[in-house]
């Protein structure tokens, strides 16, 4: 019998014989704090369900369990409470697959890796806290048998030392404590992910904290200096502040581990306090202080491994092994790879005595939709972690912005769960279909095909774009600019040869969504199902309409220029047609804005996208009005179309994300930060299955 469970159990012996099951009458041989959670997972009914404790060696792993399903009822056996919880999850999945019946037989299961984690991102573009979604997300993690949730907060939490600092929608202490308590009932550690050295731009872009910055030389003046987003390793005020931050975080989060970042430190050992120090020594000394502060609270420090990789492997310090040994006690290294296996770095840290977690990503900052081939990269990385007997694995949801959010990428968290619990021997080819059935009740391949049509860089929809435009660039053209002619301007030189094919591909995804996927989603009881996968459709319908509008407008504008002094009636007709084209695009902008607003309301995704699309609607009116103005001002030759784009709409370009963005965008203000321009992202392709 083929099972669609996620994750796949170690051993199942189930028959094509059945017992009716619409719900359970539950009995426990002892009290457990998981009883409420189990009751929330499984519906009440008449089928007897007994939870039994066993001291057998089969259940020495605290998450191991067995199921015995007979005509008389179901017996769950486990040595510890988490095993009972995960048995209930398996029963839920069996009910999802088989409807109102269960197959008779037995099942035994336990996880291959102990630490199975996903990350929720808040700090980038200031994703706001939405407690309804976070409660739901923790329950969904439990259904995947994940047992750790990292909240990527940086400093986006209202601790006392950050009072008034974090901005609108920042997580409150009482909200964090509620999530911690819920996680405990679901066997999920809720772990804060802070940043205490690099990625501190939001902190340092306030006047209050600017003096803590590591500057890039002795003569730099903070009154006019830019931003390195790095704290000074030797500044005593930094250590005083970070010490307080860590103390408060430990009060809120009882997790055994506190993640403190440490990645992508742009400037190290350059300011007057640090210039006589070697970067690796400065780094290890500083994080030794952080580690010791956490150890005083009985916690372990988690840091990313990239800076240590650079100074110990890529460009090794001659004494790197000895220096590194000072950090290994009470430190967990998170070694990331978005491209598959990294045996060299994982083995290096393990060989040097560190506890190691392998970290992967959904690549949501690269893909305009769920790219399921990333599951192959996740599997390749976690296969290394399993072979080396590491602590476990983590998958991150970078980046939760631009109407792009965690819920869209849950299929890749399902792939993570499959690898970390069940092992990495199985190919990832069926994961999307199993996920669709278990999470949304989708029968068949409607969701699997949706992922292939919208997220694969080699698909008909995306293959025409340059690689850097397969991903974030497309979303920028919708959500990160208010210029209604921007997409056309940056693509007209190459799209003539393939726009028709792209337009047909957009029609193909629209038809698949409307005829195949949406009817399935409408059947789902999932509160987010109806709109969660709409994002890619909204993006590409928007871009197709925007390009067609601008292309047709350009042609009419060019004709008008020829008629201007020869045929006034034709000139007026063509210019009026241009204005009407701009106005006709406004409803499509509104539909994109509505989706961005939904993402903000439901998931807290950054509000700037909503404001920029509102401004795009205004700019369509502005364009139409200016074109009509040119009819009246026709005594002068029409300006070149490219000048019209630049003079009416172009803005200074921003970086991919902007520190303190929430300080500068709000309804009464002109939204800032246009598209990040020509910033290049190379598309990531998967390892072979």
């Amino acid at each position: 019998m083929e099972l669609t469970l996620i994750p796949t159990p170690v051993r199942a012996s189930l028959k094509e014989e059945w017992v009716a099951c619409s719900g359970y009458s539950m009995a426990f041989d002892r009290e457990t704090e998981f009883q409420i959670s189990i009751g929330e997972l499984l519906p009440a009914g008449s089928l007897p369900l007994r939870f039994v404790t066993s001291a057998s060696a089969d259940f020495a792993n605290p998450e191991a369990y067995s199921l015995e399903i007979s005509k008389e009822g179901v017996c769950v056996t486990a040595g510890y409470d988490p095993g009972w919880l995960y048995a209930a999850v398996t029963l839920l999945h069996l009910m999802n697959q088989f409807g109102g019946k269960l197959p008779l037989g037995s099942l035994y299961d336990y996880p291959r890796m102990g630490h199975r984690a996903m990350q929720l991102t808040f700090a980038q573009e200031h994703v706001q806290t939405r407690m309804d979604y976070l409660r739901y997300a923790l329950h969904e993690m439990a259904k995947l048998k994940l047992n750790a949730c990292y909240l990527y907060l940086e400093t986006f939490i209202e601790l006392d030392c950050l009072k008034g600092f974090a901005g609108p929608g920042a997580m409150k202490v009482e909200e964090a404590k509620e999530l911690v308590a819920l996680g405990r009932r679901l066997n999920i550690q809720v772990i804060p992910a802070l940043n205490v050295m690099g990625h501190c731009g939001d902190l340092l872009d306030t006047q209050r904290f600017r003096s803590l910055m590591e500057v890039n030389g002795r003569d730099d003046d903070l009154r006019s200096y830019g931003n390195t987003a790095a704290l000074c390793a030797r500044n005593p005020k930094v250590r005083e502040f970070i010490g307080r931050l860590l103390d408060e975080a430990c009060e809120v989060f009882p997790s055994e581990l506190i993640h403190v970042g440490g990645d992508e430190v742009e400037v190290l050992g350059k300011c007057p306090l640090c210039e006589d120090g070697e970067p690796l020594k400065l780094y290890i000394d500083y994080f030794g202080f952080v580690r010791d502060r956490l150890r005083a609270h009985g916690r372990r420090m988690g840091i990313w491994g990239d800076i240590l990789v650079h100074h110990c492997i890529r460009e090794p310090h001659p004494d790197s092994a000895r220096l590194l040994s000072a950090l290994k006690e009470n430190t967990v290294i998170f070694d990331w790879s978005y491209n598959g296996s990294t045996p060299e770095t994982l083995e290096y840290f393990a060989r040097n005595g560190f506890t190691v977690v392998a970290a992967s990503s959904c690549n949501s900052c690269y893909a305009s939709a769920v790219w399921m081939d990333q599951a192959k990269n996740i599997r390749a990385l976690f296969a290394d972690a399993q072979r080396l007997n590491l602590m476990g694995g983590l998958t991150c949801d970078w980046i939760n912005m631009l109407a792009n959010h965690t819920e869209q990428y849950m299929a890749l968290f399902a792939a993570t769960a499959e690898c970390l619990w069940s092992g990495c021997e199985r190919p990832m080819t069926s994961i999307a279909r199993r996920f669709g059935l278990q999470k949304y009740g989708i029968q068949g391949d409607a969701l699997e095909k949706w992922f292939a049509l919208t997220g694969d860089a080699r698909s008909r929809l995306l293959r025409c774009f340059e690689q850097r435009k397969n991903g974030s660039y497309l979303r920028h053209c919708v959500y990160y600019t208010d210029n209604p002619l921007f997409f056309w301007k940056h693509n007209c030189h190459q799209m003539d040869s393939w726009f028709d094919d792209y337009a047909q591909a957009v029609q193909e995804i629209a038809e698949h969504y409307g005829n195949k996927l949406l009817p399935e989603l409408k059947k789902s009881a999932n509160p987010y199902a109806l709109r969660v996968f709409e994002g890619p459709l909204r993006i590409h319908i928007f871009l197709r309409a925007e390009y067609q509008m601008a292309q047709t407008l350009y042609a009419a504008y060019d004709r008008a220029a020829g008629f201007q002094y020869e045929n006034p009636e034709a000139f007026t007709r063509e210019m009026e047609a241009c204005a009407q084209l701009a106005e006709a695009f406004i409803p499509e902008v509104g539909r994109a804005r509505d989706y961005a607003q939904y993402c903000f309301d439901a998931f807290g995704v950054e509000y700037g996208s909503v404001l920029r699309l509102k401004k795009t609607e205004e700019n369509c009116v502005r364009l139409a009005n200016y074109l009509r103005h040119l009819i009246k001002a026709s005594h002068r030759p029409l300006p070149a179309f490219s000048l019209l784009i630049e003079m009416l709409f172009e803005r200074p370009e921003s970086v991919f994300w902007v520190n303190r963005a929430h300080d500068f965008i709000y309804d009464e203000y002109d939204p800032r930060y246009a598209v990040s321009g020509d910033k290049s992202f190379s598309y990531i392709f998967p390892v072979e299955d």
Side-chain angles (χ1 to χ4, degrees):
M1 175 182 295
E2 182 180 359
L3 296 177
T4 63
L5 312 188
I6 301 176
T8 304
V10 171
R11 184 173 67 246
S13 178
L14 301 173
K15 300 175 286 189
E16 297 279 350
E17 299 179 43
W18 311 93
V19 58
C21 177
S22 59
Y24 302 92
S25 172
M26 289 179 267
F28 298 82
D29 72 359
R30 57 181 169 78
E31 291 296 315
T32 169
E33 64 177 336
F34 291 165
Q35 280 182 238
I36 294 175
S37 300
I38 291 170
E40 291 171 344
L41 282 169
L42 297 176
S46 59
L47 186 67
L49 172 56
R50 293 185 299 122
F51 290 85
V52 176
T53 306
S54 170
S56 165
D58 287 342
F59 306 108
N61 185 311
E63 296 174 316
Y65 66 91
S66 71
L67 287 175
E68 293 287 341
I69 305 172
S70 69
K71 293 283 189 181
E72 289 71 38
V74 181
C75 180
V76 170
T77 304
Y80 302 88
D81 293 357
W84 282 357
L85 176 72
Y86 291 141
V89 169
T90 297
L91 286 172
L92 175 67
H93 290 176
L94 288 170
M95 293 180 72
N96 289 342
Q97 179 174 355
F98 297 112
K101 60 184 180 180
L102 293 177
L104 304 185
S106 62
L107 185 151
Y108 172 71
D109 205 6
Y110 65 89
R112 308 309 192 279
M113 304 203 77
H115 193 74
R116 306 178 303 279
M118 64 179 268
Q119 176 182 277
L120 302 173
T121 300
F122 295 86
Q124 292 174 328
E125 289 291 325
H126 309 284
V127 174
Q128 297 191 14
T129 302
R130 297 289 183 267
M131 287 300 291
D132 284 347
Y133 180 72
L134 293 177
R135 295 183 194 101
Y136 157 89
L138 285 179
H139 280 92
E140 294 303 300
M141 289 179 64
K143 292 175 187 176
L144 292 172
K145 300 177 182 171
L146 298 170
N147 62 8
C149 176
Y150 288 77
L151 304 179
Y152 183 71
L153 297 165
E154 291 188 355
T155 47
F156 204 49
I157 179 171
E158 288 282 7
L159 301 174
D160 285 344
C161 65
L162 297 169
K163 189 65 70 179
F165 164 82
M171 185 171 287
K172 295 178 173 59
V173 165
E174 56 268 27
E175 292 170 334
K177 289 181 176 180
E178 179 186 340
L179 293 176
V180 166
L182 175 59
R184 187 170 56 249
R185 296 196 301 273
L186 294 168
N187 196 45
I188 295 171
Q189 279 197 83
V190 176
I191 301 168
L194 312 172
N195 255 312
V196 301
M197 194 175 206
H199 284 291
C200 287
D202 273 335
L203 188 77
L204 296 171
D205 271 354
T206 64
Q207 194 65 29
R208 175 184 172 190
F209 292 109
R210 197 157 181 79
S211 62
L212 307 183
M213 183 185 295
E214 173 74 357
V215 296
N216 203 10
R218 175 170 289 278
D219 298 325
D220 289 314
D221 189 333
L222 285 175
R223 288 175 297 179
S224 59
Y225 187 68
N227 181 21
T228 66
L231 295 171
C232 172
R234 282 184 172 169
N235 189 329
K237 291 184 178 180
V238 168
R239 298 195 178 203
E240 178 185 355
F241 172 74
I242 292 300
R244 185 181 173 195
L245 175 68
L246 296 172
D247 293 345
E248 291 188 32
C250 288
E251 290 178 10
V252 177
F253 297 95
S255 54
E256 64 174 347
L257 184 147
I258 305 291
H259 200 301
V260 295
D263 62 316
E264 298 179 344
V265 179
E266 298 170 350
V267 177
L268 186 61
K270 298 292 185 181
C271 77
L273 285 174
C274 300
E275 62 186 356
D276 64 338
E278 295 177 342
L280 181 59
K281 290 181 179 179
L282 289 167
Y283 188 87
I284 289 177
D285 177 71
Y286 178 79
F287 278 100
F289 148 74
V290 173
R291 183 268 316 274
D292 291 344
R293 192 73 172 232
L294 291 173
R295 182 161 52 184
H297 291 279
R299 314 304 180 82
R300 290 195 288 175
M301 175 181 74
I303 60 171
W304 299 111
D306 62 311
I307 301 300
L308 296 175
V309 166
H310 176 78
H311 289 290
C312 299
I313 300 177
R314 306 290 182 245
E315 297 181 12
H317 185 284
D319 200 20
S320 59
R322 184 187 64 80
L323 292 171
L324 196 59
S325 66
L327 201 59
K328 66 182 178 183
E329 186 181 349
N330 227 58
T331 298
V332 178
I333 298 291
F334 289 74
D335 189 35
W336 76 54
S337 171
Y338 304 158
N339 270 342
S341 62
T342 57
E344 178 190 16
T345 55
L346 291 172
E347 288 175 359
Y348 177 84
F349 288 124
R351 187 171 64 250
N352 280 276
F354 283 94
T355 302
V356 184
V357 172
S360 185
S361 170
C362 296
N363 283 336
S364 54
C365 56
Y366 295 94
S368 59
V370 180
W371 176 52
M372 283 307 300
D373 274 356
Q374 174 63 0
K376 300 174 185 177
N377 289 336
I378 289 171
R379 185 186 65 173
L381 176 65
F382 293 155
D384 284 339
Q386 187 177 340
R387 175 177 58 83
L388 293 168
N389 197 28
L390 302 183
M391 175 178 167
L394 162 69
T395 295
C396 304
D397 68 342
W398 320 112
I399 293 171
N400 233 349
M401 56 186 286
L402 304 174
N404 204 50
H405 50 85
T406 302
E407 187 65 15
Q408 289 174 318
Y409 293 89
M410 280 288 184
L412 290 173
F413 292 120
T416 295
E418 176 77 8
C419 293
L420 296 176
W421 180 284
S422 305
C424 301
E425 292 79 18
R426 298 173 184 82
M428 291 284 101
T429 49
S430 68
I431 195 73
R433 191 175 300 202
R434 286 189 284 149
F435 167 79
L437 174 63
Q438 290 297 340
K439 189 170 175 66
Y440 300 108
I442 296 174
Q443 301 285 344
D445 66 350
L447 183 59
E448 185 177 43
K449 187 174 181 181
W450 178 250
F451 291 153
L453 290 173
T454 60
D456 189 338
R458 297 155 298 195
S459 70
R460 185 185 186 193
L461 184 73
L462 296 177
R463 67 189 176 198
C464 299
F465 291 93
E466 296 175 23
Q467 285 189 9
R468 63 181 172 81
K469 294 181 181 178
N470 280 334
S472 58
Y473 205 89
L474 290 179
R475 293 203 310 274
H476 281 194
C477 291
V478 181
Y479 299 116
Y480 223 56
T481 180
D482 58 20
N483 182 347
L485 303 175
F486 178 86
F487 183 62
W488 180 88
K489 174 187 171 182
H490 286 271
N491 291 280
C492 63
H493 64 286
Q494 62 172 358
M495 285 188 75
D496 288 346
S497 62
W498 54 264
F499 180 75
D500 287 346
D501 195 47
Y502 171 69
Q504 291 170 14
V506 175
Q507 185 61 31
E508 181 182 10
I509 69 167
E511 290 175 358
H512 180 79
Y513 184 83
N515 298 333
K516 302 291 186 180
L517 183 57
L518 189 59
E520 292 291 331
L521 295 175
K522 285 180 177 178
K523 301 174 189 175
S524 175
N526 185 289
Y528 301 101
L530 275 179
R531 303 208 69 182
V532 67
F533 298 114
E534 189 180 328
L537 181 64
R538 289 270 62 87
I539 285 174
H540 289 287
I541 288 178
F542 177 97
L543 293 179
R544 180 182 63 177
E546 185 177 58
Y547 189 86
Q548 289 173 322
M549 176 272 292
Q551 183 80 328
T552 308
L553 194 156
Y554 176 82
Y557 189 82
D558 191 51
R559 290 193 299 270
F563 290 139
Q564 187 170 5
Y565 297 108
E566 308 298 330
N567 188 338
E569 289 185 5
F571 171 77
T572 299
R573 183 175 64 250
E574 295 291 353
M575 291 297 289
E576 177 59 30
C578 289
Q580 291 178 13
L581 284 166
E583 291 171 332
F585 180 56
I586 293 174
E588 196 57 64
V589 184
R591 283 184 279 272
R593 172 181 48 76
D594 288 345
Y595 187 73
Q597 182 72 54
Y598 165 77
C599 291
F600 174 75
D601 293 340
F603 310 109
V605 175
E606 51 87 38
Y607 192 54
S609 294
V610 178
L611 296 180
R612 282 184 288 272
L613 285 162
K614 284 182 178 180
K615 189 65 176 178
T616 305
E617 293 175 283
E618 296 174 16
N619 280 344
C620 288
V621 174
R622 183 180 183 184
L623 175 60
N625 289 342
Y626 186 70
L627 291 165
R628 290 186 175 114
H629 161 75
L630 290 175
I631 297 173
K632 301 173 186 176
S634 58
H635 60 282
R636 300 194 66 193
L638 294 181
F641 194 70
S642 60
L643 286 179
L644 184 149
I645 295 171
E646 293 164 5
M647 298 305 292
L648 280 181
F649 304 119
E650 289 291 277
R651 297 178 182 276
E653 293 179 344
S654 77
V655 295
F656 188 44
W657 53 79
V658 182
N659 295 323
R660 308 300 302 177
H662 59 281
D663 288 339
F664 295 98
I665 51 174
Y666 50 94
D667 278 316
E668 293 79 18
Y669 196 69
D670 191 20
R672 297 293 175 181
Y673 307 120
V675 72
S676 64
D678 215 22
K679 188 175 178 72
S680 180
F681 290 93
S682 59
Y683 201 86
I684 296 175
F685 284 96
V687 298
E688 291 301 317
D689 202 357

